Amino acid sequence: MELNEDDEDDKDFDLNDNKNKLPKSDTVITVLLQALKTGDEELLGSCVSVTDERVIHSTVRLLPTRLVLQFLTLIIEKFQLHPKEAPQLIPWIKAVLEVHTAFVMGLPNNKTSFALSGLYHTVDSRLSAFSKLLTLSGRLDLILSQVSSLERVLHNAPSEAAHAEIVLQEEDVLEEEEAC
């Protein structure tokens, strides 16, 4: 099969299309190290926007231990300040705690307690709000099902009344006449 010049251009275009390719952990770690070194929030945000679990774990494994606490503190602060970003930050926090557990546990309490206690309180407060919202959701579901059931009964009631026949028995009529 012969390739003409147009086919080669199309082939090059497909190979260079990075929209569907996942970033590699060596690329993410390079950007992450730069973000931690310069304190660049935008670069840090681009790193934690990666959601592939394998890339996250590989990147965290490559993170030098001297930067683990700094990175953990930054992503916990981001988690506390920006609840909307929780779904993308939680895998990163989890990976850091899984991969660097021994290092984090070996640090003096004053260095880790502030970050981890803040994380604990944030998660605890969000979970308590979640249980209240879950209770409210259950009550709303109950009310909606009752309304729906009532609507079905009311919708079916006129059609049943149209088919219903009134049957008078002579005894009932006689009793009513005697009562008058």
Side-chain angles (χ1 to χ4, degrees):
M1 181 173 141
E2 246 180 37
L3 290 176
N4 61 29
E5 200 172 302
D6 292 336
D7 290 338
E8 282 184 24
D9 290 341
D10 290 343
K11 188 175 179 181
D12 288 341
F13 178 76
D14 291 338
L15 291 174
N16 292 326
D17 184 18
N18 291 326
K19 290 180 182 176
N20 296 326
K21 292 182 183 178
L22 292 174
K24 294 182 181 179
S25 56
D26 57 345
T27 305
V28 178
I29 191 64
T30 304
V31 175
L32 180 60
L33 292 173
Q34 184 66 31
L36 292 173
K37 182 178 179 182
T38 61
D40 189 340
E41 288 287 323
E42 192 173 321
L43 275 179
L44 182 65
S46 69
C47 291
V48 297
S49 67
V50 173
T51 57
D52 183 29
E53 296 279 335
R54 290 179 296 170
V55 174
I56 292 171
H57 275 273
S58 297
T59 302
V60 169
R61 273 191 210 101
L62 294 171
L63 186 65
T65 53
R66 61 184 166 76
L67 297 175
V68 168
L69 187 60
Q70 178 187 358
F71 179 59
L72 183 62
T73 304
L74 285 172
I75 57 176
I76 288 174
E77 286 174 5
K78 202 170 181 68
F79 175 75
Q80 291 170 328
L81 296 174
H82 306 287
K84 288 183 179 179
E85 294 180 16
Q88 70 187 39
L89 293 170
I90 289 172
W92 284 93
I93 294 169
K94 179 182 172 191
V96 170
L97 293 176
E98 285 176 351
V99 173
H100 295 287
T101 302
F103 175 74
V104 172
M105 297 300 289
L107 290 172
N109 267 350
N110 60 351
K111 287 190 175 188
T112 58
S113 65
F114 182 73
L116 294 179
S117 67
L119 176 64
Y120 174 79
H121 289 298
T122 302
V123 170
D124 192 43
S125 67
R126 290 186 188 170
L127 286 177
S128 68
F130 178 74
S131 68
K132 292 174 186 173
L133 289 173
L134 193 56
T135 302
L136 177 62
S137 175
R139 290 179 182 168
L140 290 173
D141 286 343
L142 180 63
I143 290 170
L144 289 174
S145 70
Q146 288 176 345
V147 168
S148 160
S149 177
L150 183 61
E151 285 177 348
R152 278 195 307 268
V153 167
L154 292 175
H155 180 70
N156 292 336
S159 63
E160 290 175 7
H163 294 10
E165 294 180 21
I166 300 175
V167 178
L168 293 177
Q169 295 182 355
E170 288 181 32
E171 295 172 0
D172 293 336
V173 174
L174 291 176
E175 287 175 6
E176 288 179 15
E177 287 176 2
E178 288 175 8
C180 293

